[in-house]
mmCIF file of all heavy atoms in Angstrom:
data_model
loop_
_atom_site.group_PDB
_atom_site.id
_atom_site.type_symbol
_atom_site.label_atom_id
_atom_site.label_comp_id
_atom_site.label_asym_id
_atom_site.label_seq_id
_atom_site.Cartn_x
_atom_site.Cartn_y
_atom_site.Cartn_z
ATOM 1 N N ARG A 101 -9.430 -12.890 7.913
ATOM 2 C CA ARG A 101 -10.375 -13.482 8.785
ATOM 3 C C ARG A 101 -10.013 -14.984 9.065
ATOM 4 O O ARG A 101 -10.162 -15.430 10.176
ATOM 5 C CB ARG A 101 -11.782 -13.373 8.172
ATOM 6 C CG ARG A 101 -12.879 -13.954 9.092
ATOM 7 C CD ARG A 101 -13.077 -13.271 10.415
ATOM 8 N NE ARG A 101 -13.721 -11.965 10.188
ATOM 9 C CZ ARG A 101 -14.033 -11.234 11.221
ATOM 10 N NH1 ARG A 101 -13.714 -11.490 12.464
ATOM 11 N NH2 ARG A 101 -14.585 -10.094 10.986
ATOM 12 N N VAL A 102 -9.561 -15.642 8.074
ATOM 13 C CA VAL A 102 -9.136 -17.089 8.239
ATOM 14 C C VAL A 102 -8.001 -17.089 9.232
ATOM 15 O O VAL A 102 -7.997 -17.961 10.059
ATOM 16 C CB VAL A 102 -8.709 -17.603 6.842
ATOM 17 C CG1 VAL A 102 -8.152 -19.022 7.052
ATOM 18 C CG2 VAL A 102 -9.958 -17.717 5.934
ATOM 19 N N ILE A 103 -7.018 -16.246 9.070
ATOM 20 C CA ILE A 103 -5.878 -16.171 9.937
ATOM 21 C C ILE A 103 -6.399 -16.021 11.450
ATOM 22 O O ILE A 103 -5.888 -16.649 12.357
ATOM 23 C CB ILE A 103 -4.888 -15.127 9.503
ATOM 24 C CG1 ILE A 103 -4.199 -15.559 8.207
ATOM 25 C CG2 ILE A 103 -3.819 -14.772 10.616
ATOM 26 C CD1 ILE A 103 -3.411 -14.493 7.516
ATOM 27 N N GLU A 104 -7.303 -15.082 11.589
ATOM 28 C CA GLU A 104 -7.851 -14.836 12.845
ATOM 29 C C GLU A 104 -8.623 -16.004 13.466
ATOM 30 O O GLU A 104 -8.453 -16.475 14.571
ATOM 31 C CB GLU A 104 -8.744 -13.562 12.863
ATOM 32 C CG GLU A 104 -9.337 -13.281 14.211
ATOM 33 C CD GLU A 104 -10.345 -12.088 14.067
ATOM 34 O OE1 GLU A 104 -11.300 -12.229 13.315
ATOM 35 O OE2 GLU A 104 -10.197 -11.097 14.794
ATOM 36 N N LEU A 105 -9.545 -16.584 12.605
ATOM 37 C CA LEU A 105 -10.365 -17.682 13.029
ATOM 38 C C LEU A 105 -9.548 -18.889 13.450
ATOM 39 O O LEU A 105 -9.877 -19.623 14.408
ATOM 40 C CB LEU A 105 -11.283 -18.157 11.938
ATOM 41 C CG LEU A 105 -12.411 -17.260 11.616
ATOM 42 C CD1 LEU A 105 -13.071 -17.617 10.284
ATOM 43 C CD2 LEU A 105 -13.479 -17.258 12.772
ATOM 44 N N TYR A 106 -8.413 -19.126 12.842
ATOM 45 C CA TYR A 106 -7.537 -20.304 13.153
ATOM 46 C C TYR A 106 -6.455 -19.929 14.111
ATOM 47 O O TYR A 106 -5.546 -20.702 14.382
ATOM 48 C CB TYR A 106 -6.996 -20.957 11.904
ATOM 49 C CG TYR A 106 -8.147 -21.756 11.235
ATOM 50 C CD1 TYR A 106 -8.938 -21.216 10.343
ATOM 51 C CD2 TYR A 106 -8.330 -23.052 11.612
ATOM 52 C CE1 TYR A 106 -10.030 -21.918 9.746
ATOM 53 C CE2 TYR A 106 -9.416 -23.788 11.096
ATOM 54 C CZ TYR A 106 -10.225 -23.259 10.133
ATOM 55 O OH TYR A 106 -11.293 -23.909 9.618
ATOM 56 N N GLU A 107 -6.509 -18.633 14.665
ATOM 57 C CA GLU A 107 -5.538 -18.189 15.687
ATOM 58 C C GLU A 107 -4.061 -18.363 15.271
ATOM 59 O O GLU A 107 -3.206 -18.821 16.022
ATOM 60 C CB GLU A 107 -5.898 -18.899 17.030
ATOM 61 C CG GLU A 107 -7.269 -18.566 17.510
ATOM 62 C CD GLU A 107 -7.564 -19.267 18.824
ATOM 63 O OE1 GLU A 107 -6.706 -19.898 19.445
ATOM 64 O OE2 GLU A 107 -8.808 -19.234 19.145
ATOM 65 N N ILE A 108 -3.804 -17.965 14.092
ATOM 66 C CA ILE A 108 -2.436 -18.012 13.561
ATOM 67 C C ILE A 108 -1.783 -16.748 13.992
ATOM 68 O O ILE A 108 -2.122 -15.637 13.499
ATOM 69 C CB ILE A 108 -2.368 -18.201 12.067
ATOM 70 C CG1 ILE A 108 -3.052 -19.539 11.656
ATOM 71 C CG2 ILE A 108 -0.931 -18.081 11.479
ATOM 72 C CD1 ILE A 108 -3.331 -19.756 10.215
ATOM 73 N N THR A 109 -0.814 -16.824 14.840
ATOM 74 C CA THR A 109 -0.210 -15.568 15.417
ATOM 75 C C THR A 109 1.228 -15.339 14.919
ATOM 76 O O THR A 109 1.708 -14.165 15.007
ATOM 77 C CB THR A 109 -0.124 -15.691 16.957
ATOM 78 O OG1 THR A 109 0.620 -16.809 17.347
ATOM 79 C CG2 THR A 109 -1.557 -15.755 17.524
ATOM 80 N N ASN A 110 1.864 -16.376 14.416
ATOM 81 C CA ASN A 110 3.182 -16.216 13.832
ATOM 82 C C ASN A 110 3.132 -15.514 12.442
ATOM 83 O O ASN A 110 2.471 -15.998 11.610
ATOM 84 C CB ASN A 110 3.910 -17.536 13.730
ATOM 85 C CG ASN A 110 5.329 -17.357 13.287
ATOM 86 O OD1 ASN A 110 5.561 -17.251 12.064
ATOM 87 N ND2 ASN A 110 6.278 -17.411 14.162
ATOM 88 N N PRO A 111 3.880 -14.408 12.315
ATOM 89 C CA PRO A 111 3.778 -13.693 11.066
ATOM 90 C C PRO A 111 4.323 -14.481 9.885
ATOM 91 O O PRO A 111 3.820 -14.309 8.717
ATOM 92 C CB PRO A 111 4.674 -12.403 11.234
ATOM 93 C CG PRO A 111 5.508 -12.734 12.447
ATOM 94 C CD PRO A 111 4.750 -13.780 13.242
ATOM 95 N N CYS A 112 5.313 -15.373 10.121
ATOM 96 C CA CYS A 112 5.742 -16.209 8.916
ATOM 97 C C CYS A 112 4.667 -17.161 8.478
ATOM 98 O O CYS A 112 4.501 -17.254 7.249
ATOM 99 C CB CYS A 112 6.987 -17.049 9.377
ATOM 100 S SG CYS A 112 8.396 -16.058 9.884
ATOM 101 N N LEU A 113 3.978 -17.772 9.401
ATOM 102 C CA LEU A 113 2.900 -18.664 9.002
ATOM 103 C C LEU A 113 1.724 -17.955 8.351
ATOM 104 O O LEU A 113 1.083 -18.374 7.447
ATOM 105 C CB LEU A 113 2.357 -19.488 10.248
ATOM 106 C CG LEU A 113 3.448 -20.380 10.872
ATOM 107 C CD1 LEU A 113 2.764 -21.077 12.075
ATOM 108 C CD2 LEU A 113 3.956 -21.398 9.865
ATOM 109 N N ALA A 114 1.424 -16.813 8.892
ATOM 110 C CA ALA A 114 0.367 -15.987 8.339
ATOM 111 C C ALA A 114 0.679 -15.560 6.870
ATOM 112 O O ALA A 114 -0.159 -15.634 5.992
ATOM 113 C CB ALA A 114 0.066 -14.676 9.143
ATOM 114 N N HIS A 115 1.927 -15.118 6.653
ATOM 115 C CA HIS A 115 2.355 -14.740 5.274
ATOM 116 C C HIS A 115 2.295 -15.886 4.391
ATOM 117 O O HIS A 115 1.850 -15.775 3.231
ATOM 118 C CB HIS A 115 3.751 -14.113 5.420
ATOM 119 C CG HIS A 115 4.228 -13.468 4.171
ATOM 120 N ND1 HIS A 115 5.094 -14.079 3.369
ATOM 121 C CD2 HIS A 115 3.873 -12.357 3.488
ATOM 122 C CE1 HIS A 115 5.337 -13.353 2.266
ATOM 123 N NE2 HIS A 115 4.551 -12.309 2.348
ATOM 124 N N ALA A 116 2.775 -17.092 4.760
ATOM 125 C CA ALA A 116 2.764 -18.251 3.975
ATOM 126 C C ALA A 116 1.296 -18.647 3.631
ATOM 127 O O ALA A 116 1.021 -18.942 2.421
ATOM 128 C CB ALA A 116 3.489 -19.419 4.637
ATOM 129 N N LEU A 117 0.399 -18.551 4.534
ATOM 130 C CA LEU A 117 -0.883 -18.995 4.287
ATOM 131 C C LEU A 117 -1.591 -17.980 3.321
ATOM 132 O O LEU A 117 -2.251 -18.408 2.406
ATOM 133 C CB LEU A 117 -1.722 -18.991 5.623
ATOM 134 C CG LEU A 117 -3.217 -19.292 5.518
ATOM 135 C CD1 LEU A 117 -3.396 -20.628 4.900
ATOM 136 C CD2 LEU A 117 -3.916 -19.127 6.809
ATOM 137 N N LYS A 118 -1.372 -16.674 3.528
ATOM 138 C CA LYS A 118 -1.896 -15.749 2.540
ATOM 139 C C LYS A 118 -1.446 -16.055 1.140
ATOM 140 O O LYS A 118 -2.211 -15.982 0.173
ATOM 141 C CB LYS A 118 -1.489 -14.298 2.959
ATOM 142 C CG LYS A 118 -2.054 -13.211 2.071
ATOM 143 C CD LYS A 118 -1.503 -11.840 2.521
ATOM 144 C CE LYS A 118 -0.188 -11.683 1.859
ATOM 145 N NZ LYS A 118 0.175 -10.410 1.385
#
Side-chain angles (χ1 to χ4, degrees):
R101 180 64 76 179
V102 171
I103 289 167
E104 179 186 60
L105 286 168
Y106 285 90
E107 299 177 8
I108 298 168
T109 58
N110 182 281
C112 297
L113 297 179
H115 187 254
L117 179 61
K118 183 185 81 144

